[in-house]
Amino acid sequence: MLVTKHTLAASSPHATPYYIVRGMMPGPVMFITSGVHGNETASMAAAQKLANDCMAGRRHVVRGLLIIVPRVNQKAYRNNRRGKPDLNRTFPRHISGKAKHPLASAVFQLASQHGPDWWLDLHEANGLSQRSSRVLGQTLITNPGSRAVPVCRRVIARMNRSIAIRDRHFNLKQHELPGSARTAAARLLHSRSVTVETCWSLKRSVRIRYQTEIVHHFLREAGLF
Ligand SMILES: [Zn+2]
């Protein structure tokens, strides 16, 4: 396994580190982003921990390629803000379309270079989906009819078996969101793309654990771990 650290949007105010983890055997490509919204800190912590664990050899990608951008929106993160404009509405909407923000453009270009089979975009949201179907906290979201749906269902089943408090159970949502990383990845790169949303009123350590476990389930399902 070979891990290298790079800078995205270098020499711009949006410069942010990313990591490429290469397994010894060829295999699928997984792209992981977090911090598209700068105040969703548990998802960023989970992605950074995964990168650190790979760097330190505590986690091993057996096959394929894993690319991690743990803190996409550095400026929003520094201000502890979601970010304005909402970066997750600025990704390209059509094959010939362009991203409406230089940072979304840089992220999307990096992804395009590697043609990800999978794109996990880690977020946090309000509420518990088990209590109300109107909220996004504790959900996995795909585009309607995505090829990721069966895997999402298996990951949710595994997560929920390990979560004793039923209110915290995860649910699947299928939703098209033009301008989001998820929908851009599905439409334009034909990736299996999934948005992961933990509920940010839960304890931070619990959210980081959920994010970490979900990512590990996907890495195993995709065959990288
Ligand atoms: Zn978000």
Side-chain angles (χ1 to χ4, degrees), residues 112-149:
S112 306
Q113 280 164 24
H114 296 283
D117 302 287
W118 288 90
W119 184 330
L120 300 184
D121 191 25
L122 311 182
H123 286 255
E124 299 203 85
N126 287 320
L128 295 164
S129 64
Q130 191 72 7
R131 280 197 197 153
S132 163
S133 60
R134 291 193 305 276
V135 299
L136 294 181
Q138 305 297 90
T139 62
L140 301 185
I141 315 172
T142 65
N143 291 281
S146 163
R147 287 172 300 141
V149 164

Side-chain angles (χ1 to χ4, degrees), residues 72 87-88 90-92 99-109 119 179:
V72 167
L87 199 63
N88 213 27
T90 65
F91 284 83
K100 290 185 183 136
H101 191 286
L103 184 51
S105 174
V107 171
F108 200 74
Q109 258 179 40
W119 184 330

Side-chain angles (χ1 to χ4, degrees), residues 36-40 43 82 86 88 121-125 195-197 200:
V36 165
H37 294 139
N39 57 349
E40 297 170 3
S43 50
R82 182 178 172 87
D86 185 335
N88 213 27
D121 191 25
L122 311 182
H123 286 255
E124 299 203 85
T195 308
V196 177
E197 302 268 10
W200 59 20

